[in-house]
């Protein structure tokens, strides 16, 4: 609540209320709590995968599709690519799972846009729509099929 001093026409805060800048800073911190929490969770997951090497057997469960059929799913090699990204080895990460690395990049861009929009007090609305969702599904399917064909050996994890 504010009151106007009629003599000087200055707006002064009401007694007992926080200054406008402090209230604005508190609101910005509250708005950024969810994106910050998501960043902490993703960073913790990458730190764990970066510490516990998925290239050594026994730490993570095997992909059931690969185990029972010998076919690579679109996620096969994702943990190895995350481990390589955590260690700054982009070439190895792309070799393990190029689709996952693309997903990490898309996540980073969307998260950055989310933080900027949230800091400015604007909502983040993601409505991909059916054409984009079908395209992503088709891309995932093509990636899976190609990596399981003889000429797609370069996409094997």
């Amino acid at each position: 609540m504010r009151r106007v001093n009629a003599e000087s026409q200055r707006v002064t805060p009401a007694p007992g209320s926080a200054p406008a800048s402090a209230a604005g800073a508190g609101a910005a911190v509250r708005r950024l709590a969810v994106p910050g929490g998501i960043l902490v969770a993703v960073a913790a997951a990458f730190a764990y995968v970066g510490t516990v090497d998925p290239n050594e057997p026994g730490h993570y469960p095997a992909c059931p599709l690969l185990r029972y059929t010998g076919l690579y799913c679109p996620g096969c090699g994702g943990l190895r690519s995350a481990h390589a990204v955590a260690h700054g080895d982009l070439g190895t990460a792309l070799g393990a799972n190029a689709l996952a690395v693309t997903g990490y990049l898309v996540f980073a861009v969307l998260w950055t846009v989310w933080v900027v929009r949230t800091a400015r007090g604007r909502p983040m609305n993601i409505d991909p729509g059916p054409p984009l969702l079908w395209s992503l599904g088709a891309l995932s399917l093509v990636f899976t099929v190609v990596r399981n064909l003889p000429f797609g050996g370069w996409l094997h994890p």
Side-chain angles (χ1 to χ4, degrees), residues 37-100:
I38 297 293
L39 179 63
V40 167
V42 169
F46 269 86
Y48 179 79
V49 172
T51 304
V52 181
D53 191 356
N55 295 304
E56 295 182 20
H59 295 294
Y60 300 99
C63 173
L65 185 67
L66 180 62
R67 183 176 190 178
Y68 295 117
T69 66
L71 297 173
Y72 295 106
C73 76
C76 281
L79 285 175
R80 288 185 288 272
S81 72
H83 179 77
V85 166
H87 289 274
D89 189 357
L90 190 59
T92 301
L94 286 168
N97 191 325
L99 190 62

Side-chain angles (χ1 to χ4, degrees), residues 106-126:
V106 168
F107 172 81
V109 169
L110 287 175
W111 184 86
T112 303
V113 170
W114 183 23
V115 167
V116 169
R117 290 182 64 86
T118 301
R120 293 180 178 170
R122 297 167 57 197
M124 179 68 174
N125 297 324
I126 298 177

Side-chain angles (χ1 to χ4, degrees), residues 4 37 53 156:
V4 177
D53 191 356
H156 291 179

